[in-house]
Amino acid sequence: MYDMELYDRSDTINELLARYGVKFGIYKNNTFKEQLFPFDVIPRIITKEEFDMLEKGLAQRVDALNLFLKDIYSEKKIIRDNVVPEDFVYASSGYMVQCEGIVPPKGVYSHISGIDLVKGKNKEWYILEDNLRVPSGASYPMIARNLCRRCSPRTYQKFHLEDNRNYADMLRETMDAVNTGGINVILTPGRYNAAYFEHSYFAEKTGAHLVNGSELTVENDTLYFVDYSGKKEKVGAVYRRISDEYLDPMNFNPESVIGIPHIFDVYRKGNVALLNTPGNGIADDKGIYYFVPRMIKYYLKQEPILQNAPTYLPFYEEDKKFVLANFDRLVLKDVAEAGGYGVVFASKMTKEQKESFLALMEAQPRRFIAQEVIDFEDLNIFDKGEIVPRKADLRAFVLSGDRTQVWKSGLTRFSRNPDSFIVNSSQGGGFKDTWVLSQ
């Protein structure tokens, strides 16, 4: 299901995306390069019935992850009850001892969660990854849908779709829900950040101030925004797009020049909300991912609605035996990597690479997970005037404030390489709009 009028305007839509600066940046070899995020006009279509199931499963998963974060930085019952080994918590690069004992406003840790899924050719959906630190990508389908509507309004009169323009309202509602009194701000590292377009777009759409670290200051355990004239306004919620380690040079990396000294102290005292909270990295560690179905059963007393991809931990002897016996048909992931990096298909390794990897896995079993390769669904794209199939995933966005909400849209990313399963923008992928049918 697609519309030829929309296809005929494909070049115009991509030109408008370029004019609006819909780009992402990457650092490679110490050089910053900004490039366009190619858009394909054939949408991914999800029926109402199918999305209803996804909505329940995604909300369930994020609720369990929020309970895990609350537990792991307080009573640690899940460790005491031997559901998650302590090695997988304390050895994680995402665990931050500075966050021990801190309960954020409303008890919410992951306010904006980006959950990556794929749909197998067996029609089952699988969770590939949880992103609970600074997940990006919602702005791209938002602006793409807006431009598509402008270029081909009749297309959107033909089909009954959920309107994805409400994401900004959902985001503003989430910020307001945890705001401790004051204005909302979106904290950006600056225009050389990979997702700077998104930071500025969300600021415009939500009415929040777009700020950098030099515009925020701490006085008397209170965070203030200082504008160009020197006027100060109290800040109640910070949607921060800066990694944990650079957020506060007084509490984390002392060499950070983009953070705000003592902002973490203000947060610790409950005087400002930080979205997402520092320390969330423990919950999207690829090793911890293995245990999320157990978390759902443990905290919610429910069976998981959505399943993980079949995953094995070499940390466990039984799993290691399986990995060794089935090595050539698995994909190996370094738990500390992101953005499509640190992902290796065993079938493509040379003999020397296999030997080297197995020796490393033996020495550092906590560092890797192994997954069965899901033969996930191909989606059609237009490529040089032809319709061709390409691998694609879906990043769904779940927002948590007074309630947990799943955005009825999402970022569908696809590989432009016919032989690749890697869809990340940093690896050359493109994106599509995601249509959720309303009836």
Side-chain angles (χ1 to χ4, degrees):
M1 182 194 301
Y2 60 90
D3 190 89
M4 287 307 297
E5 183 179 47
L6 196 58
Y7 168 57
D8 290 341
R9 288 159 174 72
S10 176
D11 290 343
T12 301
I13 294 165
N14 273 282
E15 286 167 8
L16 286 169
L17 288 167
R19 187 183 305 171
Y20 279 100
V22 183
K23 302 175 182 179
F24 65 93
I26 54 174
Y27 281 97
K28 197 168 185 180
N29 301 323
N30 296 318
T31 301
F32 177 79
K33 183 181 179 183
E34 207 168 38
Q35 58 194 65
L36 297 174
F37 196 4
F39 174 67
D40 182 72
V41 295
I42 303 178
R44 159 172 252 151
I45 298 174
I46 302 177
T47 66
K48 181 183 185 304
E49 294 73 21
E50 189 169 30
F51 195 83
D52 285 347
M53 179 274 296
L54 290 175
E55 187 173 26
K56 291 175 184 175
L58 290 163
Q60 178 194 61
R61 190 174 181 97
V62 169
D63 284 345
L65 285 164
N66 265 306
L67 289 169
F68 169 73
L69 285 162
K70 182 178 182 180
D71 183 23
I72 217 65
Y73 285 117
S74 56
E75 298 180 82
K76 300 176 177 57
K77 290 180 181 178
I78 200 165
I79 293 176
R80 291 208 310 269
D81 291 341
N82 298 313
V83 179
V84 176
E86 63 179 358
D87 287 11
F88 273 79
V89 175
Y90 301 128
S92 171
S93 60
Y95 169 74
M96 302 186 73
V97 68
Q98 299 96 322
C99 298
E100 283 290 340
I102 300 176
V103 179
K106 302 285 179 74
V108 180
Y109 291 75
S110 185
H111 308 83
I112 301 98
S113 305
I115 310 298
D116 294 343
L117 311 92
V118 292
K119 186 177 183 181
K121 289 184 176 176
N122 61 359
K123 304 305 179 185
E124 293 292 322
W125 286 88
Y126 298 93
I127 304 285
L128 280 189
E129 197 169 283
D130 305 295
N131 300 279
L132 277 66
R133 281 175 274 189
V134 282
S136 62
S139 62
Y140 299 111
M142 281 177 70
I143 191 169
R145 176 87 61 91
N146 184 43
L147 295 176
C148 287
R149 281 180 181 277
R150 190 189 305 177
C151 290
S152 180
R154 284 186 293 182
T155 297
Y156 296 89
Q157 295 167 359
K158 291 181 187 178
F159 303 107
H160 299 283
L161 311 179
E162 294 288 351
D163 192 340
N164 77 349
R165 289 173 289 190
N166 67 333
Y167 185 84
D169 294 332
M170 293 169 65
L171 182 56
R172 182 172 54 249
E173 180 184 327
T174 301
M175 289 190 282
D176 288 344
V178 295
N179 190 300
T180 60
I183 63 171
N184 294 325
V185 302
I186 295 176
L187 174 61
T188 178
R191 72 164 309 275
Y192 292 109
N193 181 264
Y196 181 72
F197 162 77
E198 179 157 287
H199 307 167
S200 57
Y201 189 72
F202 284 158
E204 175 191 345
K205 295 298 181 182
T206 63
H209 289 278
L210 181 66
V211 303
N212 58 49
S214 66
E215 295 172 299
L216 297 179
T217 187
V218 171
E219 294 179 15
N220 300 320
D221 296 327
T222 303
L223 183 67
Y224 292 98
F225 164 62
V226 184
D227 70 13
Y228 67 94
S229 69
K231 178 187 173 184
K232 289 192 297 187
E233 291 184 86
K234 185 177 182 294
V235 177
V238 180
Y239 177 20
R240 51 116 186 176
R241 302 300 296 257
I242 290 178
S243 299
D244 289 354
E245 61 269 31
Y246 298 111
L247 183 62
D248 183 344
M250 307 306 292
N251 284 278
F252 305 120
N253 186 339
E255 296 181 359
S256 172
V257 295
I258 58 175
I260 303 97
H262 299 294
I263 189 175
F264 188 74
D265 300 316
V266 179
Y267 162 69
R268 183 190 288 117
K269 292 180 179 180
N271 294 339
V272 73
L274 298 178
L275 298 78
N276 286 333
T277 64
N280 276 11
I282 179 61
D284 65 17
D285 181 299
K286 290 184 179 67
I288 293 294
Y289 158 93
Y290 178 90
F291 299 98
V292 178
R294 300 185 191 184
M295 291 178 199
I296 292 170
K297 295 175 185 179
Y298 180 76
Y299 292 118
L300 302 177
K301 307 296 187 279
Q302 299 170 1
E303 288 298 316
I305 296 169
L306 294 169
Q307 301 300 320
N308 283 6
T311 304
Y312 306 91
L313 286 182
F315 177 85
Y316 291 121
E317 193 61 34
E318 184 178 347
D319 281 16
K320 183 166 75 171
K321 288 178 182 177
F322 181 91
V323 171
L324 294 173
N326 298 274
F327 190 75
D328 286 348
R329 67 182 187 86
L330 300 174
V331 56
L332 298 314
K333 296 182 179 181
D334 189 322
V335 301
E337 295 283 359
Y341 295 100
V343 178
V344 182
F345 288 84
S347 60
K348 296 185 178 180
M349 288 182 175
T350 64
K351 181 181 177 182
E352 292 75 18
Q353 287 172 329
K354 289 179 184 178
E355 291 174 353
S356 176
F357 181 87
L358 289 170
L360 188 60
M361 186 181 77
E362 183 68 35
Q364 302 179 46
R366 167 66 175 84
R367 181 176 168 181
F368 302 98
I369 62 170
Q371 292 180 323
E372 294 183 27
V373 179
I374 296 173
D375 188 12
F376 55 95
E377 209 174 43
D378 295 303
L379 296 182
N380 286 334
I381 70 166
F382 284 114
D383 184 33
K384 299 176 182 176
E386 296 183 5
I387 296 177
V388 295
R390 292 290 184 268
K391 298 299 180 188
D393 76 350
L394 172 66
R395 173 164 291 182
F397 291 89
V398 185
L399 280 72
S400 306
D402 285 330
R403 58 193 175 121
T404 302
Q405 305 177 76
V406 180
W407 185 36
K408 293 184 178 179
S409 186
L411 175 67
T412 293
R413 300 175 296 182
F414 63 87
S415 171
R416 291 194 289 164
N417 180 343
D419 301 316
S420 176
F421 283 69
I422 306 296
V423 300
N424 304 72
S425 56
S426 57
Q427 304 289 305
F431 80 102
K432 292 173 169 286
D433 193 4
T434 303
W435 286 7
V436 177
L437 301 183
S438 59
Q439 61 181 48

PDB file of all heavy atoms in Angstrom, residues 72 74 76 79 85-93 95 97 100 282 288 366:
ATOM      1  N   ILE A  72      17.620  -1.072  41.555  1.00  0.00           N
ATOM      2  CA  ILE A  72      19.066  -1.289  41.496  1.00  0.00           C
ATOM      3  C   ILE A  72      19.832  -0.151  42.169  1.00  0.00           C
ATOM      4  O   ILE A  72      20.957  -0.326  42.631  1.00  0.00           O
ATOM      5  CB  ILE A  72      19.527  -1.486  40.027  1.00  0.00           C
ATOM      6  CG1 ILE A  72      20.640  -2.526  39.958  1.00  0.00           C
ATOM      7  CG2 ILE A  72      19.963  -0.203  39.364  1.00  0.00           C
ATOM      8  CD1 ILE A  72      20.215  -3.916  40.362  1.00  0.00           C
ATOM      9  N   SER A  74      18.605   1.302  44.842  1.00  0.00           N
ATOM     10  CA  SER A  74      18.117   1.386  46.235  1.00  0.00           C
ATOM     11  C   SER A  74      18.279   0.029  46.918  1.00  0.00           C
ATOM     12  O   SER A  74      19.377  -0.335  47.331  1.00  0.00           O
ATOM     13  CB  SER A  74      16.666   1.876  46.273  1.00  0.00           C
ATOM     14  OG  SER A  74      15.816   1.040  45.493  1.00  0.00           O
ATOM     15  N   LYS A  76      18.005  -3.181  45.783  1.00  0.00           N
ATOM     16  CA  LYS A  76      18.678  -4.251  45.031  1.00  0.00           C
ATOM     17  C   LYS A  76      18.079  -5.637  45.315  1.00  0.00           C
ATOM     18  O   LYS A  76      18.783  -6.637  45.408  1.00  0.00           O
ATOM     19  CB  LYS A  76      20.190  -4.257  45.318  1.00  0.00           C
ATOM     20  CG  LYS A  76      20.858  -2.945  44.943  1.00  0.00           C
ATOM     21  CD  LYS A  76      22.310  -2.932  45.330  1.00  0.00           C
ATOM     22  CE  LYS A  76      22.979  -1.650  44.878  1.00  0.00           C
ATOM     23  NZ  LYS A  76      22.325  -0.427  45.398  1.00  0.00           N
ATOM     24  N   ILE A  79      18.890  -8.463  42.824  1.00  0.00           N
ATOM     25  CA  ILE A  79      20.180  -9.130  42.997  1.00  0.00           C
ATOM     26  C   ILE A  79      20.093 -10.133  44.149  1.00  0.00           C
ATOM     27  O   ILE A  79      20.529 -11.280  44.028  1.00  0.00           O
ATOM     28  CB  ILE A  79      21.303  -8.098  43.253  1.00  0.00           C
ATOM     29  CG1 ILE A  79      21.525  -7.233  42.009  1.00  0.00           C
ATOM     30  CG2 ILE A  79      22.605  -8.800  43.648  1.00  0.00           C
ATOM     31  CD1 ILE A  79      22.554  -6.135  42.201  1.00  0.00           C
ATOM     32  N   PRO A  85      22.519 -11.424  38.206  1.00  0.00           N
ATOM     33  CA  PRO A  85      23.774 -11.542  38.959  1.00  0.00           C
ATOM     34  C   PRO A  85      24.395 -10.169  39.227  1.00  0.00           C
ATOM     35  O   PRO A  85      24.349  -9.286  38.366  1.00  0.00           O
ATOM     36  CB  PRO A  85      24.672 -12.365  38.043  1.00  0.00           C
ATOM     37  CG  PRO A  85      23.787 -12.922  36.987  1.00  0.00           C
ATOM     38  CD  PRO A  85      22.614 -12.002  36.874  1.00  0.00           C
ATOM     39  N   GLU A  86      24.970  -9.999  40.408  1.00  0.00           N
ATOM     40  CA  GLU A  86      25.549  -8.703  40.734  1.00  0.00           C
ATOM     41  C   GLU A  86      26.692  -8.344  39.790  1.00  0.00           C
ATOM     42  O   GLU A  86      26.945  -7.166  39.529  1.00  0.00           O
ATOM     43  CB  GLU A  86      26.017  -8.651  42.185  1.00  0.00           C
ATOM     44  CG  GLU A  86      27.113  -9.619  42.556  1.00  0.00           C
ATOM     45  CD  GLU A  86      27.517  -9.476  44.021  1.00  0.00           C
ATOM     46  OE1 GLU A  86      26.951  -8.604  44.705  1.00  0.00           O
ATOM     47  OE2 GLU A  86      28.387 -10.247  44.464  1.00  0.00           O
ATOM     48  N   ASP A  87      27.385  -9.353  39.248  1.00  0.00           N
ATOM     49  CA  ASP A  87      28.472  -9.082  38.294  1.00  0.00           C
ATOM     50  C   ASP A  87      27.963  -8.272  37.100  1.00  0.00           C
ATOM     51  O   ASP A  87      28.685  -7.449  36.542  1.00  0.00           O
ATOM     52  CB  ASP A  87      29.060 -10.390  37.765  1.00  0.00           C
ATOM     53  CG  ASP A  87      29.901 -11.103  38.805  1.00  0.00           C
ATOM     54  OD1 ASP A  87      29.850 -10.676  39.968  1.00  0.00           O
ATOM     55  OD2 ASP A  87      30.591 -12.070  38.458  1.00  0.00           O
ATOM     56  N   PHE A  88      26.707  -8.538  36.708  1.00  0.00           N
ATOM     57  CA  PHE A  88      26.170  -7.862  35.524  1.00  0.00           C
ATOM     58  C   PHE A  88      25.738  -6.439  35.818  1.00  0.00           C
ATOM     59  O   PHE A  88      25.518  -5.657  34.911  1.00  0.00           O
ATOM     60  CB  PHE A  88      25.008  -8.670  34.938  1.00  0.00           C
ATOM     61  CG  PHE A  88      25.468  -9.709  33.977  1.00  0.00           C
ATOM     62  CD1 PHE A  88      25.991 -10.899  34.440  1.00  0.00           C
ATOM     63  CD2 PHE A  88      25.444  -9.480  32.621  1.00  0.00           C
ATOM     64  CE1 PHE A  88      26.458 -11.858  33.572  1.00  0.00           C
ATOM     65  CE2 PHE A  88      25.904 -10.437  31.732  1.00  0.00           C
ATOM     66  CZ  PHE A  88      26.423 -11.631  32.210  1.00  0.00           C
ATOM     67  N   VAL A  89      25.629  -6.116  37.075  1.00  0.00           N
ATOM     68  CA  VAL A  89      25.291  -4.750  37.461  1.00  0.00           C
ATOM     69  C   VAL A  89      26.558  -3.938  37.690  1.00  0.00           C
ATOM     70  O   VAL A  89      26.822  -2.946  37.016  1.00  0.00           O
ATOM     71  CB  VAL A  89      24.399  -4.734  38.718  1.00  0.00           C
ATOM     72  CG1 VAL A  89      24.158  -3.303  39.187  1.00  0.00           C
ATOM     73  CG2 VAL A  89      23.073  -5.423  38.426  1.00  0.00           C
ATOM     74  N   TYR A  90      27.372  -4.383  38.614  1.00  0.00           N
ATOM     75  CA  TYR A  90      28.513  -3.576  39.031  1.00  0.00           C
ATOM     76  C   TYR A  90      29.630  -3.531  37.995  1.00  0.00           C
ATOM     77  O   TYR A  90      30.436  -2.605  37.998  1.00  0.00           O
ATOM     78  CB  TYR A  90      29.038  -4.084  40.381  1.00  0.00           C
ATOM     79  CG  TYR A  90      27.995  -4.023  41.465  1.00  0.00           C
ATOM     80  CD1 TYR A  90      27.695  -5.138  42.245  1.00  0.00           C
ATOM     81  CD2 TYR A  90      27.268  -2.855  41.692  1.00  0.00           C
ATOM     82  CE1 TYR A  90      26.716  -5.088  43.226  1.00  0.00           C
ATOM     83  CE2 TYR A  90      26.282  -2.799  42.666  1.00  0.00           C
ATOM     84  CZ  TYR A  90      26.017  -3.916  43.431  1.00  0.00           C
ATOM     85  OH  TYR A  90      25.048  -3.862  44.396  1.00  0.00           O
ATOM     86  N   ALA A  91      29.670  -4.511  37.087  1.00  0.00           N
ATOM     87  CA  ALA A  91      30.692  -4.492  36.039  1.00  0.00           C
ATOM     88  C   ALA A  91      30.254  -3.699  34.811  1.00  0.00           C
ATOM     89  O   ALA A  91      31.042  -3.488  33.893  1.00  0.00           O
ATOM     90  CB  ALA A  91      31.042  -5.926  35.626  1.00  0.00           C
ATOM     91  N   SER A  92      29.011  -3.248  34.811  1.00  0.00           N
ATOM     92  CA  SER A  92      28.507  -2.510  33.653  1.00  0.00           C
ATOM     93  C   SER A  92      29.051  -1.085  33.619  1.00  0.00           C
ATOM     94  O   SER A  92      29.084  -0.399  34.649  1.00  0.00           O
ATOM     95  CB  SER A  92      26.979  -2.458  33.689  1.00  0.00           C
ATOM     96  OG  SER A  92      26.482  -1.587  32.700  1.00  0.00           O
ATOM     97  N   SER A  93      29.435  -0.634  32.447  1.00  0.00           N
ATOM     98  CA  SER A  93      29.904   0.752  32.298  1.00  0.00           C
ATOM     99  C   SER A  93      28.770   1.743  32.519  1.00  0.00           C
ATOM    100  O   SER A  93      29.003   2.922  32.768  1.00  0.00           O
ATOM    101  CB  SER A  93      30.500   0.958  30.895  1.00  0.00           C
ATOM    102  OG  SER A  93      29.523   0.706  29.894  1.00  0.00           O
ATOM    103  N   TYR A  95      26.506   1.524  34.987  1.00  0.00           N
ATOM    104  CA  TYR A  95      26.174   1.660  36.407  1.00  0.00           C
ATOM    105  C   TYR A  95      26.961   2.823  37.003  1.00  0.00           C
ATOM    106  O   TYR A  95      28.169   2.936  36.818  1.00  0.00           O
ATOM    107  CB  TYR A  95      26.502   0.369  37.144  1.00  0.00           C
ATOM    108  CG  TYR A  95      26.432   0.504  38.656  1.00  0.00           C
ATOM    109  CD1 TYR A  95      25.208   0.590  39.305  1.00  0.00           C
ATOM    110  CD2 TYR A  95      27.590   0.575  39.414  1.00  0.00           C
ATOM    111  CE1 TYR A  95      25.138   0.729  40.682  1.00  0.00           C
ATOM    112  CE2 TYR A  95      27.535   0.705  40.793  1.00  0.00           C
ATOM    113  CZ  TYR A  95      26.316   0.782  41.419  1.00  0.00           C
ATOM    114  OH  TYR A  95      26.253   0.937  42.782  1.00  0.00           O
ATOM    115  N   VAL A  97      27.743   4.700  40.553  1.00  0.00           N
ATOM    116  CA  VAL A  97      27.623   4.642  42.011  1.00  0.00           C
ATOM    117  C   VAL A  97      27.122   5.965  42.580  1.00  0.00           C
ATOM    118  O   VAL A  97      26.483   5.996  43.644  1.00  0.00           O
ATOM    119  CB  VAL A  97      28.980   4.239  42.640  1.00  0.00           C
ATOM    120  CG1 VAL A  97      30.018   5.341  42.454  1.00  0.00           C
ATOM    121  CG2 VAL A  97      28.812   3.881  44.103  1.00  0.00           C
ATOM    122  N   GLU A 100      23.373   6.138  43.608  1.00  0.00           N
ATOM    123  CA  GLU A 100      22.833   5.325  44.699  1.00  0.00           C
ATOM    124  C   GLU A 100      21.980   6.172  45.642  1.00  0.00           C
ATOM    125  O   GLU A 100      22.388   7.247  46.077  1.00  0.00           O
ATOM    126  CB  GLU A 100      23.969   4.670  45.489  1.00  0.00           C
ATOM    127  CG  GLU A 100      24.588   3.470  44.812  1.00  0.00           C
ATOM    128  CD  GLU A 100      23.662   2.268  44.787  1.00  0.00           C
ATOM    129  OE1 GLU A 100      22.714   2.216  45.590  1.00  0.00           O
ATOM    130  OE2 GLU A 100      23.889   1.381  43.941  1.00  0.00           O
ATOM    131  N   ILE A 282      22.769   1.462  32.926  1.00  0.00           N
ATOM    132  CA  ILE A 282      22.765   0.093  33.436  1.00  0.00           C
ATOM    133  C   ILE A 282      21.609  -0.704  32.848  1.00  0.00           C
ATOM    134  O   ILE A 282      21.712  -1.916  32.630  1.00  0.00           O
ATOM    135  CB  ILE A 282      22.717   0.082  34.986  1.00  0.00           C
ATOM    136  CG1 ILE A 282      22.693  -1.344  35.535  1.00  0.00           C
ATOM    137  CG2 ILE A 282      21.512   0.839  35.512  1.00  0.00           C
ATOM    138  CD1 ILE A 282      23.896  -2.164  35.166  1.00  0.00           C
ATOM    139  N   ILE A 288      22.477  -6.721  30.309  1.00  0.00           N
ATOM    140  CA  ILE A 288      21.265  -6.638  31.129  1.00  0.00           C
ATOM    141  C   ILE A 288      20.025  -6.960  30.293  1.00  0.00           C
ATOM    142  O   ILE A 288      19.035  -7.511  30.795  1.00  0.00           O
ATOM    143  CB  ILE A 288      21.152  -5.239  31.773  1.00  0.00           C
ATOM    144  CG1 ILE A 288      22.279  -5.036  32.802  1.00  0.00           C
ATOM    145  CG2 ILE A 288      19.793  -5.023  32.422  1.00  0.00           C
ATOM    146  CD1 ILE A 288      22.193  -5.944  34.021  1.00  0.00           C
ATOM    147  N   ARG A 366      31.799 -11.543  30.158  1.00  0.00           N
ATOM    148  CA  ARG A 366      30.772 -10.528  30.467  1.00  0.00           C
ATOM    149  C   ARG A 366      30.650  -9.494  29.359  1.00  0.00           C
ATOM    150  O   ARG A 366      29.657  -8.792  29.262  1.00  0.00           O
ATOM    151  CB  ARG A 366      31.135  -9.851  31.805  1.00  0.00           C
ATOM    152  CG  ARG A 366      30.371  -8.577  32.149  1.00  0.00           C
ATOM    153  CD  ARG A 366      28.889  -8.841  32.393  1.00  0.00           C
ATOM    154  NE  ARG A 366      28.161  -7.665  32.823  1.00  0.00           N
ATOM    155  CZ  ARG A 366      27.659  -6.733  32.019  1.00  0.00           C
ATOM    156  NH1 ARG A 366      27.834  -6.824  30.710  1.00  0.00           N
ATOM    157  NH2 ARG A 366      26.977  -5.712  32.510  1.00  0.00           N
TER     158      ARG A 366
END
